[in-house]
Amino acid sequence: MTYLKRSPWILHYDASSCNGCDIEVLACLTPLYDVERFGIVNCGNPKHADVFVVTGGINEQNKAVIRNLYDQIPDPKVVVAVGICATSGGVFRECYNISGGIDTAIPVDVYVPGCAARPESIIDGIVQSLGILEEKRAKMLGRKRTKTAGTEGR
Amino acid sequence: MSRKIVVPFGPQHPVLPEPIHLDLMLEDERVVEAIPSIGYIHRGLELLVAKREYPEYVYIAERTCGICSFIHGMTYCQGIEQIMDVDVPPRALYLRTIWSEYSRLHSHLLWLGLFADAMGFENLFMNAWRLREQVLDVLEETTGGRVIQGSCKIGGVRRDIPQENLAGMAADLSPFEHELGELGTVFLKDDSVNSRLVGVGHLSRDDAYTLGAMGPVARGSGVAIDIRKTGYAAYRDLRFEPATETAGDCYARCAVRVKELFSSVDLIRQAIDRMPEGEIEVKVKGNPEGEYFSRAEQPRGELVHYVKGDGSKHLVRSRIRTPTLTNIPPLVKMLQGCELADVPIIVLSIDPCIGCMER
Amino acid sequence: MKKIEDQVTTVISIASLIGRVEAFRKGAYRLVQMNCSKIGEQFEINYSFEKDYRFENIRIIITPDTEVPSITGMYWGAFVYENEMHDLYGVQVKGINIDFQGNFIRTSIPYPFRDPSYKGEGPCQGK
């Protein structure tokens, strides 16, 4: 459980969800589920965030907004797609204004199924994403080390 | 000489979980004009009637909004039943009423929590959502779903609640009501809450009526309209009065919702007491031909599902007019002349449900 | 089965629209909703009003390129419905008080409800 040593911050964005998953994401923060006991905090600023939680499918309007938010989150970062709409478009995939799941706009690390996704599975998805976050961090550090090692050798 | 500037508000904003965009024209700190623009979560789901047969469209109707999903499904079913002259068994109507009122409880508690959060009152937010979990537990136990129930179908309901469970639910209402009382007192009596809400975002009675405000927004301004009074589902057998306030400010809208919590508990109790025995669904044959404006009272106000069928399996048109859409013109009026710092509170006071509004 | 309420729909001509709406306004009716439906090649526009839980509906039937007068002079809040009709169906409404010029609901294609199209018509995963 080394990856739980740190306190990951979450940025939540509602892409085109019906609110079902959004309120379940919020419900995770409240007393019954209380993810803050893991040090997970919901923040409103992409520059503070480590985990990007997106609910709902992508439409043409918010594609740019999502990419923009994703680019603003500092590396390393992970993306969690919550709910079936975020995974594939769900029942709305035939709608003219929906272009599909979140992975049509940004790379996704963890998919959480469900309509609406239950708080238990959302928490599970986020905790899994922390493992990936740790791997990404280690990789980044490793790259930095080899870089500095390379310059020293020269 | 003050200068006019335009401040964009949203789409991603820390106070609101959903994206709405407002262009606020400011003169110093005062809002002169507010222009809303939407479309960030527009899906175009009304068009799916051509892809789904009319009994399947219930699932789409329910997913218009995850907060009042049961009432969406029920209103759609009610529209088809009215066209096709389906005799829904009384027990099904009573069960629908019970689930509608539990949905209202969970939606109002959710809103009270978000509202407290917007005021910066974190403790109250957590307490409102803690109480809300009790409502969700009942919904999950009786329908299987926490926020999307899927228990309504054309011709009745999918699941029955056994009589002994109903008795248990009724017994649980008294301690729950006591806790609601404690929560409501903080919203209505606390000094810091009052100083944030009283006199903010005023909407006069005339404006509320002519601009088409519905639900707690209208009732907070003294317009006593409640679509439940038309007597759909089992409401024609139950006693209740629409909760009203006259001040027309954010405090009044909040007070209306707090009062409605208790009236919902009372309605559930009445419905459990009078619950008739019998079937919970009838078989529906044929296809709908005709049209109907099916109306119901959502937690946010009047919901209209316009359904039109031509005798085939697919409807010609489904149109969902949600209460948030009709509450947008009153919101524009309320924002005129307010201070920039009050904008989030005023926007929240209409209980915006953008997912519903844009469909 | 018991009808919940009686709903009267009157089809009127576009010329008498403003007069009828004015009468509703004077009679202290509230505007419930406005909507457009495409029936065959024609557009049906419904204007629904209510007073004391009595629901009344008037309807005009027009061709897609007919210009419709705005009722925002009588009902200020009607702009949301008129802009919506314009953005989704391309109904030309004349004289809206707050005209978003097609930017109220921003859609990926213009006037999507006029000739509905759907995504993913093919089989799942191309199989």
Side-chain angles (χ1 to χ4, degrees), chain B residues 52-100:
Chain B
R52 304 279 195 281
E53 291 174 15
Y54 77 92
E56 292 171 343
Y57 190 74
V58 183
Y59 303 117
I60 307 288
E62 282 203 314
R63 281 158 181 79
T64 315
C65 171
I67 304 177
C68 23
S69 81
F70 181 81
I71 303 184
H72 269 290
M74 184 193 76
T75 316
Y76 170 76
C77 292
Q78 183 178 291
I80 300 286
E81 286 154 5
Q82 290 282 318
I83 294 177
M84 296 176 71
D85 244 358
V86 179
D87 233 334
V88 184
R91 191 175 174 91
L93 292 177
Y94 271 78
L95 288 171
R96 283 182 183 180
T97 308
I98 289 177
W99 282 321
S100 298

Side-chain angles (χ1 to χ4, degrees), chain B residues 234-272:
Chain B
Y235 290 109
R236 66 167 68 94
D237 305 339
L238 307 177
R239 274 172 296 107
F240 80 102
E241 278 311 312
T244 52
E245 286 280 323
T246 47
D249 53 3
C250 286
Y251 178 81
R253 291 189 275 280
C254 179
V256 166
R257 291 187 176 102
V258 172
K259 282 187 191 168
E260 282 185 4
L261 289 175
F262 297 102
S263 99
S264 288
V265 170
D266 185 46
L267 281 167
I268 295 170
R269 219 177 254 141
Q270 289 184 41
I272 291 177

